[in-house]
């Protein structure tokens, strides 16, 4: 028993040494972890500094002056210092002045490019790579997906296609009025586009086809629609348009097909529709139209398909 008792202190000492050694190891690990954390923080702040420096480079005085010069062309009378830096127009100017390597003295081309890049930032094109990965390149915007140009490099057709799940930013920008040679504007079905038709649509006086069906456009049709003297097809089927059908629609002397089905238009059918001598098809059902069908529709000698009847409408 005495021999066993003599060994006990030695065992205790060994255990104490082991505990001390383990504690030392744990302390070293903690110090090592702290060092790694500090290195991680240093690396993070270094990257953040690079990002800030890069942004400052992009908004350097030289870059800023280019933005101001371009703004004089694409947004005359607008002071960019008053422009919200989160606005799509600001991002478009910044990209054109600081990143786009395709600088052209052609003011018209610059205006078209600005309008298209504004749309890109408006809809969040950078988050839609499957649709807009070909945009914002140094090539001509005529090479960007959905755009078609004439031999002068002016946009003549634009097919807008977006995934069906969208948000409230998917609107037609007012800058669309800058595409003066546009003959066809089509928003693909179920692209979840929203908002009104901008009044600037009236600037597209070469437009022949406007198709916005199966989206979520809303509000009244702007009276400026009457400026589209070359328009042959107007398809607003299945949206959320409301208000009266504008009488200015009677100015569309080349119109052959008019579809306003599945909206919330109200009031009478304007008698001015009787001025559309080229009209061949007329679709107005599934709205909230009221009153008699105007007798002027009888003037439409080319009309072969007509569906204007509503529950509250009566024949004259």
């Amino acid at each position: 028993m005495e021999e066993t008792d003599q060994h006990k202190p030695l065992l205790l000492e060994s255990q104490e040494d082991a505990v001390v050694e383990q504690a030392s190891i744990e302390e070293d690990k903690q110090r090592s972890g702290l060092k790694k954390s500090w290195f991680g923080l240093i690396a993070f702040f270094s990257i953040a500094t690079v990002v800030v420096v890069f942004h400052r480079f992009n908004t350097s005085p030289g870059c800023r002056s280019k933005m101001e010069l371009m703004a004089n062309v694409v947004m005359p009378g607008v002071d960019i210092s008053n422009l919200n830096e989160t606005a799509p127009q600001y991002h478009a100017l910044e990209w054109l002045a600081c990143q786009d390597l395709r600088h052209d003295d052609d003011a018209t081309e610059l205006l078209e490019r600005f309008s298209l890049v504004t749309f890109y930032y408006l809809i969040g094109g950078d988050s839609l790579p499957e649709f807009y990965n070909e945009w914002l390149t140094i090539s001509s915007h005529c090479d960007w997906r959905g755009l078609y140009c004439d031999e002068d490099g002016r946009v003549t057709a634009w097919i807008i296609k977006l995934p069906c799940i969208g948000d409230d930013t998917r609107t037609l920008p007012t800058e669309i009025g800058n595409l003066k040679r546009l003959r066809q504007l089509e928003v693909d079905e179920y692209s979840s586009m929203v908002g009104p038709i901008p009044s600037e649509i009236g600037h597209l006086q070469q437009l022949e086809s406007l198709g916005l069906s199966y989206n979520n456009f809303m509000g009244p049709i702007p009276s400026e629609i009457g400026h589209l003297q070359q328009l042959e097809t107007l398809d607003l089927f299945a949206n959320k348009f409301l208000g009266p059908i504008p009488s200015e629609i009677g100015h569309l002397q080349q119109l052959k097909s008019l579809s306003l089905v599945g909206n919330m238009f109200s009031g009478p059918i304007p008698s001015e529709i009787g001025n559309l001598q080229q009209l061949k098809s007329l679709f107005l059902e599934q709205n909230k139209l009221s009153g008699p069908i105007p007798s002027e529709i009888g003037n439409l000698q080319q009309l072969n398909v007509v569906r204007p009847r509503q529950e509250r409408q009566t024949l004259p």
Side-chain angles (χ1 to χ4, degrees):
M1 293 295 294
E2 291 180 1
E3 185 179 355
T4 303
D5 292 339
Q6 289 176 356
H7 286 291
K8 281 183 180 179
L10 293 176
L11 290 173
L12 289 172
E13 288 177 5
S14 298
Q15 290 174 347
E16 289 175 357
D17 291 342
V19 169
V20 171
E21 184 177 356
Q22 183 64 32
S24 177
I25 292 171
E26 292 297 328
E27 187 176 354
D28 289 341
K29 285 182 178 179
Q30 289 179 359
R31 288 176 179 173
S32 177
L34 286 172
K35 287 181 180 179
K36 289 180 179 179
S37 297
W38 278 109
F39 284 131
L41 286 171
I42 291 170
F44 172 79
F45 284 115
S46 297
I47 293 171
T49 302
V50 170
V51 171
V52 170
V53 169
F54 178 74
H55 181 73
R56 286 179 177 174
F57 172 77
N58 272 350
T59 54
S60 62
C63 181
R64 181 78 177 187
S65 63
K66 287 181 183 178
M67 290 176 65
E68 291 172 349
L69 288 172
M70 287 184 174
N72 291 333
V73 176
V74 300
M75 294 190 301
V78 174
D79 184 351
I80 64 170
S81 62
N82 296 327
L83 195 62
N84 191 323
E85 293 188 7
T86 64
Q89 292 83 358
Y90 185 92
H91 286 305
L93 278 174
E94 189 173 40
W95 183 82
L96 288 166
C98 311
Q99 299 179 49
D100 187 16
L101 300 180
R102 185 183 175 85
H103 293 301
D104 201 311
D105 294 332
D106 189 328
T108 303
E109 180 173 339
L110 176 61
L111 188 59
E112 286 195 347
R113 202 165 173 86
F114 166 75
S115 303
L116 295 166
V117 177
T118 295
F119 173 78
Y120 174 91
Y121 283 113
L122 179 64
I123 63 166
D126 50 352
S127 64
L128 302 170
E130 68 274 30
F131 293 91
Y132 289 92
N133 62 329
E134 299 171 7
W135 280 47
L136 270 61
T137 62
I138 62 173
S139 64
S140 166
H141 51 261
C142 296
D143 297 329
W144 296 355
R145 182 175 178 175
L147 297 172
Y148 304 87
C149 298
D150 59 18
E151 59 185 9
D152 297 325
R154 303 291 180 260
V155 178
T156 57
W158 187 6
I159 313 299
I160 298 173
K161 184 176 177 61
L162 295 165
C164 62
I165 300 175
D167 54 45
D168 292 341
T169 65
R170 292 186 177 183
T171 62
L172 289 175
T174 58
E175 288 78 10
I176 198 168
N178 295 328
L179 306 178
K180 299 295 178 61
R181 292 197 192 178
L182 199 64
R183 295 198 301 268
Q184 179 185 9
L185 176 60
E186 305 285 338
V187 177
D188 198 62
E189 296 179 355
Y190 307 110
S191 289
S192 298
M193 292 284 286
V194 301
I197 297 175
S199 60
E200 288 77 6
I201 198 82
H203 298 163
L204 306 180
Q205 296 187 18
Q206 295 188 34
L207 197 65
E208 298 172 1
S209 177
L210 176 59
L212 308 179
S213 62
Y214 286 103
N215 278 278
N216 294 312
F217 289 103
M218 60 189 71
I221 297 177
S223 59
E224 288 80 3
I225 199 81
H227 297 164
L228 307 181
Q229 298 293 309
Q230 303 302 315
L231 197 65
E232 297 181 2
T233 301
L234 178 57
D235 183 3
L236 306 183
F237 182 84
N239 280 281
K240 298 177 181 178
F241 291 111
L242 49 76
I245 298 173
S247 60
E248 289 83 1
I249 213 161
H251 298 163
L252 307 179
Q253 297 296 310
Q254 302 302 317
L255 198 65
K256 296 177 180 178
S257 177
L258 173 61
S259 177
L260 305 181
V261 179
N263 286 281
M264 294 182 285
F265 291 112
S266 58
I269 298 174
S271 60
E272 287 81 1
I273 282 184
N275 299 332
L276 306 178
Q277 295 299 310
Q278 302 299 318
L279 198 64
K280 294 182 178 181
S281 59
L282 174 64
F283 304 98
L284 302 177
E285 68 267 31
Q286 297 178 31
N287 281 287
K288 298 180 179 180
L289 299 172
S290 59
I293 297 174
S295 59
E296 287 81 359
I297 285 184
N299 299 334
L300 305 179
Q301 301 299 313
Q302 302 293 324
L303 196 63
N304 53 40
V305 180
V306 55
R307 295 208 300 267
R309 294 179 183 273
Q310 298 292 314
E311 292 180 2
R312 288 193 247 171
Q313 287 178 349
T314 58
L315 291 171

